[in-house]
Amino acid sequence: MSNTVQAYIEEIPAWSSGTAMASAPLSSMQWLVWSLATAGKFFEGMIVFMGGIALPLLTAEFGLDDVAKGAMTSATLAGILVGALVLGGLADRLGRKPVFIGEMVLLLVALIGASTSPGIGVLVVWLFVIGLALGADYPTAHLVISESIPASIRGRLVLGAFSFQAIGAIAGTAIAAVVLAQKPELSTWRLFYLLPVIPVILVIWGRLFLPESSHWLVSQGRHEKAEKQLRKLLNRKDIDLLRVEIADRTSTPKRSNNFAKLFKSKQRRRTILASLPWFLQDLSTYGIGIFTPVIIAAAFGAKAGGADVASIIHDDLIGAKGTALIDIGFLVGISVAIYLADRWGRIPLQITGFIGCAAGLFFALIGRSGGDGNLPLIVVGFVIFQFMTNLGPNSQTYLIAGEVFPTKYRGIGAGFAAASGKVGAVLTAFCFPLLMASIGTERLLVLLLITSLLGALATWLFRVETKGLDLESL
């Protein structure tokens, strides 16, 4: 067997009888890598969806108009865009581990700053910084997992980590509702940003003990350290990458942060596949996700409708309950994606998911049309949308983006794709309140339905299937 990093990771041990095991077992360190990589996705889901519940409280406390509300809801998403694009690329230059730790330190500082903000202007700044940290985690979390595990289970484990975005969304919605019910005050939104502080500190501590990616170290020509870190990862001593060192000595890639490389030769197709569907998917997913509490609260028809604190909190809790219901589809969808990703493949799931999203939006559109609307049909439509987006584009775009690029600029490629998605997210988050007021929810749903169908088409036209291929082959 060739003594490459991936060959050691893929190596299947045999029983004492000589019979090979069914698959390569993961070491305790590999499981620790995976566990700590789930944190960023959990915090993103938790913080973004808590922000949706905090919005009515902030609107009442600071008297926000539609422009101010758009700025607040888009600040974190704008930070994710910049963080994925700029900070994510640092993982190709500085290494996966330093960025993996640094992003959590930045998140810790920003959460404390947000919770103590004296006004909306300062809060928007801190929400942007929160986004920077979460954006950096998009490529690095994927990289530290995919560069540490066998190709046969890469899809399941990467999406398993990604599923914590859904878990975080549900947990954030539930926790915010409980806290708000126990402390029914406008200032309770500050607690929403303080609650994750202790978990973030624990994650920072845990990430200090992780090994650096041996794939990245080899790409930098640092093969002795790559051997040391691979021993730590696999918990074995018989690691010898000598032949790889000899073969690669004359071709060690230069450090690069050049986005132009993503659009040259065969990488252009991969870049479009990784970024365009993600952009189209985030147009609908983030807009609907952030403002679902508002939509559901209106659909339930049980709003108090008053301007006093009690009425505002009453309406906000109704929205939180509706969000929790719809987020069940979020979690179920990602669970099915985990099961099917290494069986069906990334491309079929992404296309199926996009078409399913369009179907869900169609049901919601029918439910919204005419009179006070059909609540059961609206809920069914949004549940279908949440299920299908997580079965397909929300999970598969993340998975594909971290797989299709070479090691030497996998970080910047995955970061560019994530940033492309967040361009759609920011546009939607900022424009959503204005569009709802000007063209109405029905017409807006039609536009989002069209973007889902375009996502399916783009995936088919630029398809590159990565199922079962190890990173060195890719």
Side-chain angles (χ1 to χ4, degrees):
M1 178 177 289
S2 175
N3 293 351
T4 66
V5 173
Q6 194 65 36
Y8 278 112
I9 292 174
E10 300 285 348
E11 189 174 338
I12 300 177
W15 298 102
S16 57
S17 63
T19 303
M21 300 179 68
S23 59
L26 298 184
S27 68
S28 58
M29 182 57 72
Q30 285 173 302
W31 281 118
L32 181 61
V33 168
W34 180 84
S35 299
L36 292 172
T38 66
K41 297 295 99 187
F42 178 86
F43 292 139
E44 180 191 357
M46 182 181 190
I47 293 167
V48 171
F49 279 77
M50 274 186 170
I53 299 175
L55 181 58
L57 306 180
L58 286 158
T59 300
E61 182 172 346
F62 297 113
L64 306 184
D65 56 17
D66 286 342
V67 175
K69 286 190 286 186
M72 201 209 93
T73 54
S74 63
T76 300
L77 300 178
I80 292 175
L81 188 161
V82 177
L85 192 64
V86 179
L87 301 183
L90 292 178
D92 290 335
R93 302 180 63 185
L94 305 179
R96 310 327 192 192
K97 184 176 178 178
V99 179
F100 205 42
I101 296 171
E103 67 196 26
M104 285 293 109
V105 175
L106 185 62
L107 179 61
L108 175 64
V109 174
L111 286 170
I112 296 173
S115 67
T116 58
S117 298
I120 192 64
V122 176
L123 177 60
V124 167
V125 172
W126 282 118
L127 292 178
F128 178 81
V129 178
I130 287 174
L132 287 178
L134 297 175
D137 189 75
Y138 261 88
T140 52
H142 191 325
L143 269 50
V144 298
I145 296 175
S146 60
E147 293 178 354
S148 302
I149 59 174
S152 61
I153 60 172
R154 185 178 63 239
R156 276 174 282 171
L157 289 189
V158 170
L159 291 184
F162 187 70
S163 70
F164 277 76
Q165 183 187 65
I167 296 172
I170 293 173
T173 302
I175 292 171
V178 170
V179 171
L180 189 57
Q182 296 298 317
K183 188 178 174 59
E185 302 173 8
L186 295 181
S187 62
T188 298
W189 65 266
R190 297 183 185 275
L191 293 178
F192 296 169
Y193 296 105
L194 275 179
L195 289 172
V197 166
I198 298 300
V200 169
I201 292 174
L202 294 175
V203 169
I204 293 172
W205 178 77
R207 289 185 178 185
L208 293 173
F209 299 96
L210 298 183
E212 179 58 273
S213 166
S214 294
H215 278 290
W216 178 80
L217 290 167
V218 168
S219 76
Q220 303 297 304
R222 300 165 62 182
H223 299 293
E224 290 185 4
K225 187 170 183 180
E227 289 180 354
K228 181 179 179 181
Q229 296 301 296
L230 193 57
R231 294 188 190 104
K232 183 177 180 180
L233 176 69
L234 300 179
N235 192 26
R236 53 185 291 185
K237 298 180 180 179
D238 56 333
I239 302 293
D240 182 7
L241 297 176
L242 180 61
R243 280 178 284 174
V244 176
E245 183 176 0
I246 293 173
D248 288 354
R249 187 179 292 276
T250 60
S251 60
T252 300
K254 297 179 181 179
R255 295 181 180 180
S256 175
N257 198 29
N258 189 356
F259 288 99
K261 287 188 176 182
L262 300 179
F263 294 92
K264 292 182 179 179
S265 187
K266 64 180 180 180
Q267 299 305 326
R268 185 184 304 112
R269 181 188 187 96
R270 298 167 183 264
T271 301
I272 295 174
L273 172 67
S275 57
L276 180 57
W278 202 337
F279 168 79
L280 293 170
Q281 181 259 330
D282 273 10
L283 281 175
S284 55
T285 298
Y286 270 84
I288 289 176
I290 292 173
F291 294 99
T292 292
V294 179
I295 295 171
I296 294 299
F300 267 91
K303 295 177 67 177
D308 58 287
V309 174
S311 297
I312 292 170
I313 292 174
H314 174 269
D315 295 345
D316 205 10
L317 286 172
I318 292 174
K321 293 175 182 177
T323 303
L325 173 64
I326 288 176
D327 283 342
I328 293 174
F330 197 125
L331 186 57
V332 174
I334 198 73
S335 299
V336 177
I338 293 169
Y339 178 76
L340 294 177
D342 291 321
R343 292 173 171 83
W344 282 17
R346 286 57 160 150
I347 300 302
L349 282 175
Q350 184 158 302
I351 293 174
T352 301
F354 267 125
I355 295 173
C357 287
L361 291 170
F362 180 72
F363 279 112
L365 179 62
I366 294 176
R368 283 286 304 179
S369 62
D372 295 329
N374 186 325
L375 175 60
L377 198 55
I378 293 173
V379 173
V380 167
F382 276 96
V383 169
I384 291 174
F385 176 87
Q386 291 287 12
F387 173 80
M388 296 304 295
T389 194
N390 286 283
L391 170 69
N394 192 37
S395 57
Q396 303 307 316
T397 51
Y398 179 72
L399 184 54
I400 291 170
E403 294 181 336
V404 296
F405 299 104
T407 300
K408 60 184 178 181
Y409 46 89
R410 185 172 295 128
I412 196 171
F416 178 83
S420 299
K422 293 305 162 285
V423 170
V426 171
L427 288 175
T428 305
F430 189 79
C431 298
F432 206 89
L434 301 177
L435 287 174
M436 285 184 68
S438 61
I439 68 174
T441 302
E442 290 79 9
R443 292 179 181 176
L444 185 57
L445 288 174
V446 171
L447 292 177
L448 296 180
L449 189 156
I450 293 172
T451 63
S452 294
L453 294 177
L454 290 176
L457 178 62
T459 302
W460 173 254
L461 292 176
F462 299 99
R463 61 192 181 277
V464 177
E465 183 57 68
T466 57
K467 181 189 72 171
L469 298 179
D470 66 69
L471 296 180
E472 291 169 347
S473 298
L474 286 166

